[in-house]
């Protein structure tokens, strides 16, 4: 069975080579049939050049997709999933906050129970300020109250999926993609495992408070008819 790693990269010049080395080191002797699909999401730094070097040295194992501008992580994930050839596909960040060791663990969990379609990792320890963490918890409370699908607090897109689930996600033609919701919406048997978030190897998080709010708003609009009902109610009243 072939494993594909889908890696969205935005301004990760210092991290891509490290990520690539760390994956090879971690998988060595354990996993041999794998490919790495890097998606360069319109980086303004040397990420593109560095990915090109990695590709030139290992073109049989590595794919590099390049966006014309920054489209955001969701778009990068979609492009990566569309081009991944594996029977199993894992989405993982380029900054090594999500260590490839966890991918090995996900594979183990999946191999122990054939009814599992997806192993998703959630953050055991949140490495962020109290304010951000509180706002995120509130978001999960609100969205789980009003949305038609379940959202697990702390679960990200760091997950290993079997091919049928990947195909189901790709068959959804949403333009504004909110992966957290799509993963849940398609169903499938998902097992959640905790993982320790490491420190970012280099560079900075791409999330600002504004981006987080916009993202939360997109999620609520995409997966709940509550705002629509509210607007209709208010409209009728006035
Ligand atoms: N990323 C991306 N496009 C963006 C923002 C982020 O492809 O517009 C990638 C980024 O390079 C990283 C992953 O998404 O591999 C997670 O981003 P980040 O580390 O900034 O998020 P955090 O870990 O802080 O939640
Ligand atoms: Mg990160």
């Amino acid at each position: 069975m072939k494993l594909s790693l889908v890696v969205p990269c935005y301004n990760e010049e210092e991290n891509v080579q490290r990520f690539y080395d760390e994956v090879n080191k971690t998988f060595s002797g354990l996993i041999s049939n794998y490919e790495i699909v890097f998606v360069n999401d319109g980086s303004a730094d040397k990420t593109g050049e560095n990915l090109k070097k990695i590709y030139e040295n290992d073109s049989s194992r590595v794919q590099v997709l390049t966006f014309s501008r920054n489209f955001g992580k969701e778009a990068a994930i979609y492009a990566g999933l569309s081009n991944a050839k594996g029977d199993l596909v894992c989405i993982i960040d380029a900054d090594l906050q999500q260590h490839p060791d966890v991918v090995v663990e996900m594979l183990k969990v999946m191999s122990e129970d054939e009814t599992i379609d997806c192993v998703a990792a959630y953050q055991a320890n949140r490495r962020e300020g109290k304010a951000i963490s509180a706002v995120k918890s509130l978001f999960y409370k609100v969205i789980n109250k009003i949305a038609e699908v379940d959202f697990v607090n702390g679960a990200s897109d760091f997950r290993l999926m079997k091919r049928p689930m990947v195909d189901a996600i790709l068959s959804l033609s949403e333009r504004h993609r909110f992966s957290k919701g799509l993963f849940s919406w398609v169903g499938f048997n998902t097992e959640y495992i905790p993982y320790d978030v490491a420190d970012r190897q280099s560079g900075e998080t791409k999330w600002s408070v504004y981006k987080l709010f916009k993202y939360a708003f997109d999620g609520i609009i995409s997966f709940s008819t509550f705002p629509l009902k509210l607007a209709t109610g208010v409209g009728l009243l006035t």
Side-chain angles (χ1 to χ4, degrees):
M1 286 239 267
K2 189 186 178 105
L3 167 70
S4 300
L5 297 182
V6 166
V7 196
C9 309
Y10 178 49
N11 293 347
E12 303 284 6
E13 60 182 3
E14 306 262 347
N15 290 329
V16 286
Q17 181 70 46
R18 252 186 253 174
F19 172 87
Y20 170 81
D21 292 339
E22 198 65 28
V23 167
N24 291 335
K25 202 173 93 191
T26 308
F27 285 5
S28 158
L30 295 171
I31 305 163
S32 53
N33 192 7
Y34 65 96
E35 65 165 357
I36 307 179
V37 185
F38 289 104
V39 185
N40 179 8
D41 183 13
S43 299
D45 63 359
K46 293 209 167 70
T47 301
E49 282 168 49
N50 294 350
L51 286 177
K52 190 162 176 254
K53 277 184 216 148
I54 295 174
Y55 171 77
E56 280 167 358
N57 285 323
D58 194 3
S59 60
S60 61
R61 217 187 251 302
V62 173
Q63 291 191 56
V64 177
L65 310 168
T66 307
F67 284 177
S68 54
R69 65 167 170 84
N70 178 240
F71 282 89
K73 186 181 180 187
E74 297 284 337
I77 289 175
Y78 185 69
L81 291 180
S82 307
N83 287 277
K85 301 194 182 76
D87 312 288
L88 299 170
V89 181
C90 184
I91 302 166
I92 181 168
D93 290 351
D95 56 13
L96 285 171
Q97 286 198 279
Q98 307 171 336
H99 198 270
D101 275 338
V102 185
V103 180
V104 177
E105 198 188 327
M106 288 171 169
L107 285 163
K108 189 166 164 276
V109 170
M110 196 172 255
S111 71
E112 282 164 359
D113 180 353
E114 63 173 32
T115 67
I116 295 175
D117 301 302
C118 173
V119 181
Y122 65 87
Q123 304 180 12
N125 57 333
R126 276 203 182 270
R127 298 229 167 175
E128 57 204 7
K130 282 217 170 83
I132 292 274
S133 182
V135 172
K136 284 189 180 171
S137 295
L138 180 68
F139 164 74
Y140 281 103
K141 277 205 185 104
V142 171
I143 201 157
N144 278 319
K145 267 249 146 56
I146 63 176
E148 281 101 48
V149 296
D150 285 336
F151 292 81
V152 175
N153 190 353
S156 61
D157 8 56
F158 185 25
R159 58 184 63 221
L160 174 72
M161 294 176 279
K162 284 185 180 160
R163 175 52 61 184
M165 180 162 172
V166 175
D167 288 342
I169 284 164
L170 290 174
S171 73
L172 302 173
S173 57
E174 318 280 307
R175 245 164 204 274
H176 283 279
R177 302 186 73 85
F178 189 73
S179 289
K180 276 182 207 280
L182 298 180
F183 292 135
S184 170
W185 191 85
V186 293
F188 293 92
N189 182 13
T190 302
E191 182 80 19
Y192 290 90
I193 62 166
Y195 80 103
D196 288 319
V197 189
D199 284 328
R200 198 169 223 291
Q201 278 292 317
S202 158
E204 285 174 0
T205 176
K206 304 328 181 269
W207 291 101
S208 59
V209 172
Y210 168 74
K211 268 193 167 180
L212 272 178
F213 268 103
K214 192 174 161 298
Y215 182 69
F217 191 70
D218 281 350
I220 290 172
I221 296 287
S222 310
F223 285 92
S224 165
T225 51
F226 180 74
L228 195 63
K229 284 178 189 149
L230 188 70
T232 311
V234 171
L236 279 174
L237 267 177
T238 49

